[in-house]
Amino acid sequence: MTVDAQSFKQAMRHCAGAVALVTVGSETGQRTGLTVTSACSLSDNPPSVLVCVNRNASAHQRIREERHFVINFLNEDHALLALTFSGQKGVNGDDRFAFGRWTTGATGAPVLEDAVAAFDCVLAQELETKTHSIFIGEVQHVRAATTVDPLIYLRSGFQSVRNIHDPVELGDLDARRVSWNEFS
């Protein structure tokens, strides 16, 4: 049985994803980036992350050429920045970096200063699928903020984690009982 693309996309919209900007390019005028929800940790030995990038994205070829990239996980105040890097605001390439506060990472790639977390990577491996490449990056430098909440994408829109549900504390025995009873 095969699943059609529309059904797949509709189901994925119910799976919350952290929103990140993947940025590449060490020279002004040559930088680019895109918005993704397809970035995650891979390993801590060596520290590695992965991101899936459509081969039609401008950043795809640049990552291959530069052999480095940064995954900048966005905070809840970055929804307009996410839209800008997604191409929905009509801003392309290096012009996208006119928005937000940027610095240069250890690899030379752009790092968003107020990202929830930024992983500056060298390209360690690339795996190809029909439409996307999976870029595996070995982390060269990391920075993290502890005072901001992440931006997530859920049900076709950007959300703050605070708007979704009150967090369950690990030490809350009653909450654990409720959670585990739901699985029995």
Side-chain angles (χ1 to χ4, degrees):
M1 180 174 170
T2 60
V3 174
D4 65 279
Q6 191 58 33
S7 296
F8 174 76
K9 288 178 188 178
Q10 188 61 34
M12 288 302 300
R13 288 183 180 120
H14 295 283
C15 302
V19 182
L21 302 180
V22 177
T23 54
V24 61
S26 51
E27 296 179 30
T28 301
Q30 300 297 313
R31 300 173 300 178
T32 193
L34 73 153
T35 303
V36 302
T37 56
S38 61
C40 65
S41 65
L42 177 63
S43 175
D44 65 354
N45 186 20
S48 305
V49 292
L50 67 81
V51 63
C52 304
V53 177
N54 189 304
R55 283 191 276 207
N56 292 326
S58 61
H60 186 275
Q61 187 59 34
R62 299 289 299 140
I63 292 170
R64 282 181 162 172
E65 292 168 0
E66 298 263 347
R67 312 241 4 117
H68 66 254
F69 59 92
V70 176
I71 300 174
N72 301 277
F73 285 94
L74 301 182
N75 74 49
E76 64 186 351
D77 294 329
H78 287 143
L80 288 176
L81 193 58
L83 288 172
T84 300
F85 273 75
S86 72
Q88 294 185 39
K89 293 293 183 185
V91 181
N92 296 309
D94 198 69
D95 292 339
R96 293 175 176 175
F97 294 91
F99 305 91
R101 294 188 325 265
W102 298 93
T103 189
T104 302
T107 64
V111 176
L112 184 62
E113 288 183 6
D114 56 347
V116 170
F119 298 87
D120 192 359
C121 306
V122 295
L123 181 60
Q125 190 175 358
E126 177 186 351
L127 307 168
E128 291 190 25
T129 69
K130 187 172 182 177
T131 59
H132 289 65
S133 291
I134 302 166
F135 292 117
I136 298 173
E138 191 170 308
V139 179
Q140 303 300 297
H141 187 261
V142 64
R143 61 191 294 177
T146 58
T147 59
V148 292
D149 287 320
L151 181 67
I152 63 168
Y153 188 78
L154 176 65
R155 297 184 192 104
S156 301
F158 296 117
Q159 308 285 332
S160 168
V161 293
R162 287 181 283 153
N163 296 340
I164 294 173
H165 191 276
D166 292 330
V168 174
E169 298 295 327
L170 293 177
D172 185 341
L173 187 57
D174 292 329
R176 284 188 291 181
R177 284 189 184 120
V178 169
S179 296
W180 285 110
N181 288 338
E182 291 175 1
F183 291 109
S184 342

